[in-house]
Amino acid sequence: MHRILVAEDEPRIAALLARGLRAAGYLPTVATTGTDAAALCPGHDLLVLDLGLPGQDGLTTLGQIRASGERIPVIVLTGRAAVSDRVNGLDLGADDYMTKPFEFDELLARIRARLRGPATATVLRAGPVQLDLVRRTVTVHGRPVVLTGREFMLAETLLRRRGEALSRERLLDQVWGLAHDPGSNVVDVYIGYLRRKLGTDLIQTVRGVGYRLAA
C-alpha cells in the first residue's frame, strides 16, 4: 500500500485529503510545516505539497528536498495560479502542479499516474499535435491550443497509448477516477471537445470498445 505525505497547514483541507486518500486505499500522513514535510519524505511514496506553508514555504521545502537527492514524486497543490509560480515549482523539481480549488478525483488520477513511474518523454507528439508535459502546453500545427486540466489528461492518456484501443471504462478510470459514475457519458463528451480542438481525424471511434489515437 502506497504511503502519501500531505504537506498542508489548513486543517479542513488536510482532513479532506487524508480522508479521501484513505478511502482510495492509500496511507496518508499529514505534515503542517515545510520543515516537517522535508523530514518525513523518506519512507513515503509521493508528496502532495502546498506552497503556502508557515515558516519555511513550499518552494523552499521543495528545493531542500531535491537538493538532498530525494526523488519522491511531488504534486504541488496550491492556491497560487500565476504562471511564474508554476514555472518556479516545476523548475525546482515538482512533477505536477495543481491549483485550488480542485477536483479530488483529478488529484487521485494524477497520483496514480505519478506512482506508475516517471514518464519516458516530456513531450508527446501525434501528427500535428504536440503536448509538453512539463509546461502543460499544447500546440496543433505549431499554434497554441488551450485545454482544460481534464482535457489535457485525456489527451495525454491517448497519446501515451497511440494506436491502442482504449475502452470508455479504462479512460474513465485513468482520467476521472474509479469514484466516477461508470454509466456517465463524460468520456464521449470530452472526446468531442478534443476532436474540436485537436482535429476531427486524430481520435478514432472503435465500435463496441471506445477510442484510439490514430497510429
Side-chain angles (χ1 to χ4, degrees), residues 6-193:
V6 176
E8 172 62 62
D9 68 310
E10 208 290 313
R12 183 183 61 83
I13 297 177
L16 170 68
L17 290 171
R19 185 168 59 251
L21 289 169
R22 197 173 293 112
Y26 299 109
L27 291 175
T29 303
V30 174
T32 57
T33 69
T35 303
D36 287 346
L40 289 170
C41 271
H44 287 84
D45 301 301
L46 183 139
L47 169 62
V48 178
L49 176 66
D50 181 31
L51 296 186
L53 297 172
Q56 179 174 288
D57 71 9
L59 287 177
T60 301
T61 300
L62 178 58
Q64 179 182 345
I65 290 169
R66 292 304 186 226
S68 72
E70 176 64 63
R71 299 310 306 161
I72 184 174
V74 176
I75 299 176
V76 169
L77 181 63
T78 179
R80 301 181 188 177
V83 173
S84 59
D85 290 318
R86 291 176 179 270
V87 171
N88 286 338
L90 293 169
D91 283 348
L92 282 171
D95 298 278
D96 207 343
Y97 195 108
M98 288 184 66
T99 56
K100 302 172 183 175
F102 64 98
E103 294 290 339
F104 186 73
D105 58 351
E106 180 180 354
L107 175 61
L108 282 179
R110 295 189 184 213
I111 288 173
R112 289 194 297 272
R114 297 305 163 189
L115 290 175
R116 284 195 292 268
T120 57
T122 59
V123 177
L124 303 178
R125 298 178 177 85
V129 177
Q130 178 173 299
L131 267 71
D132 189 315
L133 303 179
V134 174
R135 293 180 175 84
R136 308 292 289 181
T137 58
V138 185
T139 59
V140 178
H141 292 294
R143 296 188 298 272
V145 173
V146 177
L147 298 185
T148 66
R150 199 79 72 174
E151 289 169 353
F152 191 98
M153 292 173 65
L154 180 56
E156 178 182 349
T157 300
L158 290 167
L159 263 72
R160 285 193 184 281
R161 293 163 177 81
R162 184 174 179 178
E164 179 181 348
L166 301 174
S167 68
R168 290 174 176 83
E169 292 76 15
R170 184 173 177 185
L171 291 171
L172 192 65
D173 175 28
Q174 295 195 6
V175 179
W176 282 269
L178 289 171
H180 206 84
D181 178 10
S184 170
N185 70 339
V186 66
V187 172
D188 306 285
V189 171
Y190 273 76
I191 288 290
Y193 295 159

